[in-house]
PDB file of all heavy atoms in Angstrom:
ATOM      1  N   PRO A 117       8.537  18.258  -4.096  1.00 94.00           N
ATOM      2  CA  PRO A 117       8.238  19.208  -3.027  1.00 94.00           C
ATOM      3  C   PRO A 117       6.899  19.913  -3.224  1.00 94.00           C
ATOM      4  O   PRO A 117       6.529  20.296  -4.328  1.00 94.00           O
ATOM      5  CB  PRO A 117       9.389  20.215  -3.114  1.00 94.00           C
ATOM      6  CG  PRO A 117      10.469  19.511  -3.856  1.00 94.00           C
ATOM      7  CD  PRO A 117       9.772  18.576  -4.808  1.00 94.00           C
ATOM      8  N   LYS A 118       6.182  20.051  -2.119  1.00 94.00           N
ATOM      9  CA  LYS A 118       4.920  20.810  -2.069  1.00 94.00           C
ATOM     10  C   LYS A 118       3.983  20.476  -3.229  1.00 94.00           C
ATOM     11  O   LYS A 118       3.404  21.356  -3.856  1.00 94.00           O
ATOM     12  CB  LYS A 118       5.203  22.320  -2.039  1.00 94.00           C
ATOM     13  CG  LYS A 118       6.122  22.750  -0.930  1.00 94.00           C
ATOM     14  CD  LYS A 118       5.505  22.544   0.424  1.00 94.00           C
ATOM     15  CE  LYS A 118       6.458  23.021   1.512  1.00 94.00           C
ATOM     16  NZ  LYS A 118       6.276  22.328   2.754  1.00 94.00           N
ATOM     17  N   SER A 119       3.795  19.202  -3.493  1.00 92.00           N
ATOM     18  CA  SER A 119       2.998  18.782  -4.651  1.00 92.00           C
ATOM     19  C   SER A 119       1.728  18.018  -4.284  1.00 92.00           C
ATOM     20  O   SER A 119       0.985  17.597  -5.155  1.00 92.00           O
ATOM     21  CB  SER A 119       3.860  17.913  -5.570  1.00 92.00           C
ATOM     22  OG  SER A 119       4.261  16.750  -4.874  1.00 92.00           O
ATOM     23  N   TYR A 120       1.492  17.826  -2.986  1.00 88.00           N
ATOM     24  CA  TYR A 120       0.335  17.039  -2.566  1.00 88.00           C
ATOM     25  C   TYR A 120      -0.471  17.819  -1.531  1.00 88.00           C
ATOM     26  O   TYR A 120       0.053  18.199  -0.484  1.00 88.00           O
ATOM     27  CB  TYR A 120       0.815  15.698  -1.979  1.00 88.00           C
ATOM     28  CG  TYR A 120      -0.309  14.750  -1.656  1.00 88.00           C
ATOM     29  CD1 TYR A 120      -0.975  14.062  -2.667  1.00 88.00           C
ATOM     30  CD2 TYR A 120      -0.704  14.537  -0.349  1.00 88.00           C
ATOM     31  CE1 TYR A 120      -2.016  13.185  -2.374  1.00 88.00           C
ATOM     32  CE2 TYR A 120      -1.746  13.658  -0.048  1.00 88.00           C
ATOM     33  CZ  TYR A 120      -2.387  12.992  -1.068  1.00 88.00           C
ATOM     34  OH  TYR A 120      -3.407  12.131  -0.786  1.00 88.00           O
ATOM     35  N   TRP A 121      -1.739  18.075  -1.837  1.00 88.00           N
ATOM     36  CA  TRP A 121      -2.605  18.816  -0.931  1.00 88.00           C
ATOM     37  C   TRP A 121      -3.103  17.850   0.141  1.00 88.00           C
ATOM     38  O   TRP A 121      -3.766  16.863  -0.153  1.00 88.00           O
ATOM     39  CB  TRP A 121      -3.775  19.405  -1.703  1.00 88.00           C
ATOM     40  CG  TRP A 121      -4.664  20.263  -0.878  1.00 88.00           C
ATOM     41  CD1 TRP A 121      -5.912  19.937  -0.423  1.00 88.00           C
ATOM     42  CD2 TRP A 121      -4.399  21.579  -0.414  1.00 88.00           C
ATOM     43  NE1 TRP A 121      -6.423  20.974   0.301  1.00 88.00           N
ATOM     44  CE2 TRP A 121      -5.517  22.002   0.323  1.00 88.00           C
ATOM     45  CE3 TRP A 121      -3.320  22.444  -0.549  1.00 88.00           C
ATOM     46  CZ2 TRP A 121      -5.590  23.254   0.918  1.00 88.00           C
ATOM     47  CZ3 TRP A 121      -3.388  23.693   0.040  1.00 88.00           C
ATOM     48  CH2 TRP A 121      -4.510  24.077   0.762  1.00 88.00           C
ATOM     49  N   TRP A 122      -2.776  18.106   1.390  1.00 84.00           N
ATOM     50  CA  TRP A 122      -3.113  17.196   2.467  1.00 84.00           C
ATOM     51  C   TRP A 122      -3.434  17.979   3.731  1.00 84.00           C
ATOM     52  O   TRP A 122      -2.625  18.779   4.194  1.00 84.00           O
ATOM     53  CB  TRP A 122      -1.933  16.251   2.719  1.00 84.00           C
ATOM     54  CG  TRP A 122      -2.107  15.289   3.834  1.00 84.00           C
ATOM     55  CD1 TRP A 122      -1.409  15.264   5.005  1.00 84.00           C
ATOM     56  CD2 TRP A 122      -3.002  14.175   3.904  1.00 84.00           C
ATOM     57  NE1 TRP A 122      -1.819  14.225   5.791  1.00 84.00           N
ATOM     58  CE2 TRP A 122      -2.813  13.530   5.142  1.00 84.00           C
ATOM     59  CE3 TRP A 122      -3.969  13.679   3.040  1.00 84.00           C
ATOM     60  CZ2 TRP A 122      -3.535  12.417   5.531  1.00 84.00           C
ATOM     61  CZ3 TRP A 122      -4.688  12.553   3.435  1.00 84.00           C
ATOM     62  CH2 TRP A 122      -4.465  11.940   4.659  1.00 84.00           C
ATOM     63  N   ARG A 123      -4.620  17.753   4.240  1.00 85.00           N
ATOM     64  CA  ARG A 123      -5.062  18.368   5.488  1.00 85.00           C
ATOM     65  C   ARG A 123      -4.911  19.890   5.492  1.00 85.00           C
ATOM     66  O   ARG A 123      -4.432  20.488   6.441  1.00 85.00           O
ATOM     67  CB  ARG A 123      -4.348  17.743   6.668  1.00 85.00           C
ATOM     68  CG  ARG A 123      -4.664  16.282   6.837  1.00 85.00           C
ATOM     69  CD  ARG A 123      -3.985  15.673   8.022  1.00 85.00           C
ATOM     70  NE  ARG A 123      -4.367  14.261   8.100  1.00 85.00           N
ATOM     71  CZ  ARG A 123      -3.797  13.389   8.902  1.00 85.00           C
ATOM     72  NH1 ARG A 123      -2.828  13.769   9.707  1.00 85.00           N
ATOM     73  NH2 ARG A 123      -4.185  12.139   8.909  1.00 85.00           N
ATOM     74  N   GLY A 124      -5.297  20.490   4.371  1.00 91.00           N
ATOM     75  CA  GLY A 124      -5.345  21.937   4.286  1.00 91.00           C
ATOM     76  C   GLY A 124      -4.034  22.633   3.976  1.00 91.00           C
ATOM     77  O   GLY A 124      -3.936  23.854   4.070  1.00 91.00           O
ATOM     78  N   THR A 125      -3.025  21.885   3.565  1.00 92.00           N
ATOM     79  CA  THR A 125      -1.741  22.504   3.222  1.00 92.00           C
ATOM     80  C   THR A 125      -1.016  21.653   2.171  1.00 92.00           C
ATOM     81  O   THR A 125      -1.326  20.476   1.984  1.00 92.00           O
ATOM     82  CB  THR A 125      -0.854  22.668   4.484  1.00 92.00           C
ATOM     83  OG1 THR A 125       0.298  23.419   4.154  1.00 92.00           O
ATOM     84  CG2 THR A 125      -0.462  21.330   5.075  1.00 92.00           C
ATOM     85  N   TRP A 126      -0.052  22.262   1.514  1.00 94.00           N
ATOM     86  CA  TRP A 126       0.748  21.532   0.531  1.00 94.00           C
ATOM     87  C   TRP A 126       1.860  20.783   1.252  1.00 94.00           C
ATOM     88  O   TRP A 126       2.568  21.336   2.080  1.00 94.00           O
ATOM     89  CB  TRP A 126       1.349  22.483  -0.511  1.00 94.00           C
ATOM     90  CG  TRP A 126       0.316  23.003  -1.443  1.00 94.00           C
ATOM     91  CD1 TRP A 126      -0.252  24.242  -1.432  1.00 94.00           C
ATOM     92  CD2 TRP A 126      -0.297  22.287  -2.515  1.00 94.00           C
ATOM     93  NE1 TRP A 126      -1.200  24.344  -2.427  1.00 94.00           N
ATOM     94  CE2 TRP A 126      -1.243  23.151  -3.114  1.00 94.00           C
ATOM     95  CE3 TRP A 126      -0.167  21.007  -3.026  1.00 94.00           C
ATOM     96  CZ2 TRP A 126      -2.026  22.778  -4.196  1.00 94.00           C
ATOM     97  CZ3 TRP A 126      -0.949  20.636  -4.108  1.00 94.00           C
ATOM     98  CH2 TRP A 126      -1.864  21.514  -4.682  1.00 94.00           C
ATOM     99  N   ASP A 127       1.995  19.505   0.925  1.00 93.00           N
ATOM    100  CA  ASP A 127       3.014  18.648   1.536  1.00 93.00           C
ATOM    101  C   ASP A 127       3.915  18.098   0.431  1.00 93.00           C
ATOM    102  O   ASP A 127       3.530  18.047  -0.739  1.00 93.00           O
ATOM    103  CB  ASP A 127       2.339  17.480   2.272  1.00 93.00           C
ATOM    104  CG  ASP A 127       3.281  16.719   3.207  1.00 93.00           C
ATOM    105  OD1 ASP A 127       4.439  17.138   3.377  1.00 93.00           O
ATOM    106  OD2 ASP A 127       2.842  15.696   3.764  1.00 93.00           O
ATOM    107  N   ASP A 128       5.104  17.691   0.818  1.00 93.00           N
ATOM    108  CA  ASP A 128       5.995  17.023  -0.124  1.00 93.00           C
ATOM    109  C   ASP A 128       5.448  15.624  -0.404  1.00 93.00           C
ATOM    110  O   ASP A 128       4.757  15.034   0.430  1.00 93.00           O
ATOM    111  CB  ASP A 128       7.405  16.914   0.452  1.00 93.00           C
ATOM    112  CG  ASP A 128       8.046  18.263   0.699  1.00 93.00           C
ATOM    113  OD1 ASP A 128       7.555  19.271   0.150  1.00 93.00           O
ATOM    114  OD2 ASP A 128       9.039  18.312   1.448  1.00 93.00           O
ATOM    115  N   ASN A 129       5.760  15.081  -1.562  1.00 94.00           N
ATOM    116  CA  ASN A 129       5.306  13.755  -1.952  1.00 94.00           C
ATOM    117  C   ASN A 129       6.526  12.893  -2.261  1.00 94.00           C
ATOM    118  O   ASN A 129       7.255  13.155  -3.213  1.00 94.00           O
ATOM    119  CB  ASN A 129       4.389  13.854  -3.175  1.00 94.00           C
ATOM    120  CG  ASN A 129       3.657  12.563  -3.447  1.00 94.00           C
ATOM    121  OD1 ASN A 129       3.326  11.817  -2.540  1.00 94.00           O
ATOM    122  ND2 ASN A 129       3.402  12.297  -4.711  1.00 94.00           N
ATOM    123  N   LEU A 130       6.728  11.889  -1.436  1.00 96.00           N
ATOM    124  CA  LEU A 130       7.846  10.964  -1.596  1.00 96.00           C
ATOM    125  C   LEU A 130       7.328   9.736  -2.330  1.00 96.00           C
ATOM    126  O   LEU A 130       6.316   9.143  -1.926  1.00 96.00           O
ATOM    127  CB  LEU A 130       8.389  10.583  -0.216  1.00 96.00           C
ATOM    128  CG  LEU A 130       9.656   9.751  -0.147  1.00 96.00           C
ATOM    129  CD1 LEU A 130      10.817  10.465  -0.825  1.00 96.00           C
ATOM    130  CD2 LEU A 130       9.988   9.464   1.314  1.00 96.00           C
ATOM    131  N   ILE A 131       7.999   9.362  -3.401  1.00 97.00           N
ATOM    132  CA  ILE A 131       7.536   8.240  -4.223  1.00 97.00           C
ATOM    133  C   ILE A 131       8.513   7.078  -4.094  1.00 97.00           C
ATOM    134  O   ILE A 131       9.711   7.213  -4.357  1.00 97.00           O
ATOM    135  CB  ILE A 131       7.376   8.657  -5.694  1.00 97.00           C
ATOM    136  CG1 ILE A 131       6.336   9.780  -5.783  1.00 97.00           C
ATOM    137  CG2 ILE A 131       6.967   7.460  -6.553  1.00 97.00           C
ATOM    138  CD1 ILE A 131       6.194  10.404  -7.137  1.00 97.00           C
ATOM    139  N   TYR A 132       7.964   5.952  -3.656  1.00 98.00           N
ATOM    140  CA  TYR A 132       8.700   4.687  -3.573  1.00 98.00           C
ATOM    141  C   TYR A 132       8.243   3.813  -4.730  1.00 98.00           C
ATOM    142  O   TYR A 132       7.099   3.910  -5.172  1.00 98.00           O
ATOM    143  CB  TYR A 132       8.372   3.959  -2.274  1.00 98.00           C
ATOM    144  CG  TYR A 132       9.197   4.370  -1.088  1.00 98.00           C
ATOM    145  CD1 TYR A 132       8.950   5.557  -0.410  1.00 98.00           C
ATOM    146  CD2 TYR A 132      10.230   3.561  -0.628  1.00 98.00           C
ATOM    147  CE1 TYR A 132       9.695   5.928   0.686  1.00 98.00           C
ATOM    148  CE2 TYR A 132      10.985   3.926   0.478  1.00 98.00           C
ATOM    149  CZ  TYR A 132      10.709   5.098   1.128  1.00 98.00           C
ATOM    150  OH  TYR A 132      11.453   5.455   2.212  1.00 98.00           O
ATOM    151  N   ALA A 133       9.112   2.937  -5.202  1.00 98.00           N
ATOM    152  CA  ALA A 133       8.720   2.028  -6.276  1.00 98.00           C
ATOM    153  C   ALA A 133       9.608   0.791  -6.271  1.00 98.00           C
ATOM    154  O   ALA A 133      10.677   0.777  -5.662  1.00 98.00           O
ATOM    155  CB  ALA A 133       8.821   2.725  -7.637  1.00 98.00           C
ATOM    156  N   MET A 134       9.130  -0.216  -6.960  1.00 97.00           N
ATOM    157  CA  MET A 134       9.940  -1.405  -7.237  1.00 97.00           C
ATOM    158  C   MET A 134       9.426  -2.040  -8.516  1.00 97.00           C
ATOM    159  O   MET A 134       8.256  -1.900  -8.872  1.00 97.00           O
ATOM    160  CB  MET A 134       9.904  -2.401  -6.082  1.00 97.00           C
ATOM    161  CG  MET A 134       8.641  -3.166  -5.903  1.00 97.00           C
ATOM    162  SD  MET A 134       8.847  -4.370  -4.584  1.00 97.00           S
ATOM    163  CE  MET A 134       7.166  -4.605  -4.105  1.00 97.00           C
ATOM    164  N   SER A 135      10.332  -2.718  -9.185  1.00 97.00           N
ATOM    165  CA  SER A 135       9.961  -3.431 -10.401  1.00 97.00           C
ATOM    166  C   SER A 135       9.635  -4.880 -10.045  1.00 97.00           C
ATOM    167  O   SER A 135       9.920  -5.349  -8.939  1.00 97.00           O
ATOM    168  CB  SER A 135      11.124  -3.412 -11.389  1.00 97.00           C
ATOM    169  OG  SER A 135      12.201  -4.188 -10.884  1.00 97.00           O
ATOM    170  N   GLU A 136       9.056  -5.563 -10.993  1.00 96.00           N
ATOM    171  CA  GLU A 136       8.800  -6.995 -10.825  1.00 96.00           C
ATOM    172  C   GLU A 136      10.112  -7.719 -10.531  1.00 96.00           C
ATOM    173  O   GLU A 136      10.166  -8.596  -9.664  1.00 96.00           O
ATOM    174  CB  GLU A 136       8.148  -7.562 -12.087  1.00 96.00           C
ATOM    175  CG  GLU A 136       8.006  -9.073 -12.069  1.00 96.00           C
ATOM    176  CD  GLU A 136       7.619  -9.639 -13.421  1.00 96.00           C
ATOM    177  OE1 GLU A 136       7.461  -8.870 -14.380  1.00 96.00           O
ATOM    178  OE2 GLU A 136       7.487 -10.870 -13.499  1.00 96.00           O
ATOM    179  N   ALA A 137      11.182  -7.344 -11.232  1.00 95.00           N
ATOM    180  CA  ALA A 137      12.486  -7.986 -11.020  1.00 95.00           C
ATOM    181  C   ALA A 137      12.996  -7.735  -9.596  1.00 95.00           C
ATOM    182  O   ALA A 137      13.551  -8.641  -8.964  1.00 95.00           O
ATOM    183  CB  ALA A 137      13.497  -7.483 -12.046  1.00 95.00           C
ATOM    184  N   ASP A 138      12.796  -6.503  -9.088  1.00 94.00           N
ATOM    185  CA  ASP A 138      13.171  -6.201  -7.703  1.00 94.00           C
ATOM    186  C   ASP A 138      12.415  -7.114  -6.743  1.00 94.00           C
ATOM    187  O   ASP A 138      12.986  -7.675  -5.806  1.00 94.00           O
ATOM    188  CB  ASP A 138      12.825  -4.748  -7.328  1.00 94.00           C
ATOM    189  CG  ASP A 138      13.625  -3.714  -8.088  1.00 94.00           C
ATOM    190  OD1 ASP A 138      14.735  -4.018  -8.565  1.00 94.00           O
ATOM    191  OD2 ASP A 138      13.123  -2.570  -8.198  1.00 94.00           O
ATOM    192  N   TRP A 139      11.119  -7.268  -6.973  1.00 94.00           N
ATOM    193  CA  TRP A 139      10.294  -8.084  -6.095  1.00 94.00           C
ATOM    194  C   TRP A 139      10.743  -9.540  -6.135  1.00 94.00           C
ATOM    195  O   TRP A 139      10.890 -10.176  -5.100  1.00 94.00           O
ATOM    196  CB  TRP A 139       8.816  -7.962  -6.495  1.00 94.00           C
ATOM    197  CG  TRP A 139       7.915  -8.724  -5.579  1.00 94.00           C
ATOM    198  CD1 TRP A 139       7.429  -8.315  -4.371  1.00 94.00           C
ATOM    199  CD2 TRP A 139       7.410 -10.037  -5.782  1.00 94.00           C
ATOM    200  NE1 TRP A 139       6.649  -9.290  -3.823  1.00 94.00           N
ATOM    201  CE2 TRP A 139       6.618 -10.365  -4.666  1.00 94.00           C
ATOM    202  CE3 TRP A 139       7.542 -10.978  -6.804  1.00 94.00           C
ATOM    203  CZ2 TRP A 139       5.970 -11.587  -4.536  1.00 94.00           C
ATOM    204  CZ3 TRP A 139       6.900 -12.187  -6.672  1.00 94.00           C
ATOM    205  CH2 TRP A 139       6.123 -12.486  -5.551  1.00 94.00           C
ATOM    206  N   ARG A 140      10.976 -10.054  -7.339  1.00 92.00           N
ATOM    207  CA  ARG A 140      11.400 -11.456  -7.472  1.00 92.00           C
ATOM    208  C   ARG A 140      12.760 -11.694  -6.812  1.00 92.00           C
ATOM    209  O   ARG A 140      12.965 -12.718  -6.158  1.00 92.00           O
ATOM    210  CB  ARG A 140      11.413 -11.876  -8.933  1.00 92.00           C
ATOM    211  CG  ARG A 140      10.021 -11.963  -9.526  1.00 92.00           C
ATOM    212  CD  ARG A 140      10.010 -12.587 -10.916  1.00 92.00           C
ATOM    213  NE  ARG A 140       8.699 -12.505 -11.505  1.00 92.00           N
ATOM    214  CZ  ARG A 140       7.654 -13.261 -11.157  1.00 92.00           C
ATOM    215  NH1 ARG A 140       7.773 -14.161 -10.207  1.00 92.00           N
ATOM    216  NH2 ARG A 140       6.481 -13.123 -11.765  1.00 92.00           N
TER     217      ARG A 140
END
Side-chain angles (χ1 to χ4, degrees):
K118 305 294 181 208
S119 62
Y120 186 75
W121 184 254
W122 178 246
R123 297 181 180 170
T125 188
W126 288 103
D127 193 5
D128 297 343
N129 192 32
L130 187 60
I131 299 173
Y132 274 77
M134 73 175 157
S135 67
E136 173 191 0
D138 294 336
W139 183 83
R140 291 189 187 286

